[in-house]
Amino acid sequence: MVRASGAAEGTGTSAEKPAQAAAGKPAAKRRAAGGESRTALVRRARRINRELAEVFPYAHPELDFENPFQLVVATVLSAQTTDLRVNQTTPALFAKYPTPEDLAAADPEEVEEILRPTGFFRAKTRSVIGLSKVLAEDFGGEVPGRLEDLVKLPGVGRKTAFVVLGNAFGRPGITVDTHFQRLVRRWKWTEETDPDKIEAAVGALFPKSDWTDLSHHVIWHGRRICHARRPACGACPIAPLCPAYGEGETDPEKAEKLLKYEKGGFPGQRLKPPQAYLDAGGRPAPPLGAG
């Protein structure tokens, strides 16, 4: 569980965190009630990112991929489903259609059958075949490394483009998914609700070089601890920095039961996770149909 991994990595035990949270709660409320200067906001935001980097030093994109083409396809398929389900589905897809040229020439019905477990499989089939045709015809079968080119691909918006740029090309980008949107508003980093405006507002708080890892840290925290309906406030390592502390369960024992997959026998999302995750005690996810 998160508590165990945090303790092992020097982030403090769960017994310490509720005490920290209790101590931090009044200050957080004063900030929320009395306002926060721009300088204070930047400092708090960057400290949250540093704290999350200590809790999740192995944070990574949770889609399996071996090249930019696989990542852009997997990211398109991840809409309206889990990364785990995508990771369990794509091995068969890429085994049969390893290149954009192969997928561009595929029989849609055969692709639909493979993608059925991901949901919305007909629309996703149109998107991945369509983007493969554009890659084959307009980009020489290579995924472009520019935002303006990526967003021309069927099914690819700014969020998907930044996932690809940050994780396949090493070019900084902020991935504004549902977890990211929820958390940055809870933390009062921005009041914006439009993804593009959130991207701009949050990006202005951090050096550009931090953007990709920041996205991973926030998304991992949102999936594992700061849930939409019932955040695990009593087990949260950044509770002293959070204006929304108390919206969720503050009792440490009850909060710990709310923690989602992470160590302690629970596998992650990837069938082939990075070595750093395995070294930290993480477990690969099972393939489709296993168990």
Side-chain angles (χ1 to χ4, degrees), residues 111-128:
V111 176
E112 286 179 2
E113 193 58 33
I114 295 174
L115 300 186
R116 187 180 295 272
T118 68
F120 301 95
F121 58 92
R122 292 188 178 89
K124 291 179 179 179
T125 294
R126 289 193 295 271
S127 291
V128 298

Side-chain angles (χ1 to χ4, degrees), residues 23-41:
K25 182 180 177 181
K29 289 209 167 189
R30 283 198 298 273
R31 283 195 295 269
E36 184 175 35
S37 71
R38 177 71 179 181
T39 299
L41 171 60

Side-chain angles (χ1 to χ4, degrees), residues 47-69:
R47 184 178 172 191
I48 285 175
N49 188 39
R50 290 195 300 271
E51 294 283 345
L52 294 181
E54 291 185 9
V55 177
F56 305 118
Y58 40 76
H60 54 268
E62 294 195 90
L63 291 167
D64 282 322
F65 69 98
E66 296 179 358
N67 54 56
F69 172 62

Side-chain angles (χ1 to χ4, degrees), residues 173-228:
I174 293 177
T175 303
V176 185
D177 74 348
T178 55
H179 300 288
F180 194 96
Q181 293 182 51
R182 179 177 77 252
L183 267 61
V184 299
R185 288 198 294 269
R186 273 184 179 163
W187 295 337
K188 305 299 183 185
W189 288 4
T190 180
E191 298 296 330
E192 300 290 352
T193 57
D194 177 76
D196 290 352
K197 293 181 179 179
I198 291 173
E199 175 195 321
V202 174
L205 301 176
F206 294 87
K208 192 173 182 179
S209 58
D210 288 352
W211 288 356
T212 299
D213 285 341
L214 168 70
S215 299
H216 293 324
H217 297 152
V218 175
I219 292 169
W220 274 55
H221 189 63
R223 286 178 167 175
R224 289 154 171 78
I225 300 176
C226 195
H227 314 307

Side-chain angles (χ1 to χ4, degrees), residues 90-196:
T90 50
L93 180 72
F94 295 137
K96 191 166 186 177
Y97 310 108
T99 69
E101 291 82 0
D102 294 323
L103 191 51
D107 180 337
E109 291 186 359
E110 294 182 2
V111 176
E112 286 179 2
E113 193 58 33
I114 295 174
L115 300 186
R116 187 180 295 272
T118 68
F120 301 95
F121 58 92
R122 292 188 178 89
K124 291 179 179 179
T125 294
R126 289 193 295 271
S127 291
V128 298
I129 289 179
L131 72 84
S132 296
K133 288 180 178 178
V134 174
L135 291 177
E137 295 171 3
D138 297 346
F139 295 99
E142 300 291 332
V143 175
R146 300 194 311 164
L147 175 65
E148 55 267 38
D149 292 329
L150 284 168
V151 295
K152 295 176 183 177
L153 302 176
V156 176
R158 288 179 67 88
K159 183 185 79 171
T160 296
F162 281 129
V163 170
V164 175
L165 290 173
N167 297 291
F169 292 101
R171 297 175 183 172
I174 293 177
T175 303
V176 185
D177 74 348
T178 55
H179 300 288
F180 194 96
Q181 293 182 51
R182 179 177 77 252
L183 267 61
V184 299
R185 288 198 294 269
R186 273 184 179 163
W187 295 337
K188 305 299 183 185
W189 288 4
T190 180
E191 298 296 330
E192 300 290 352
T193 57
D194 177 76
D196 290 352

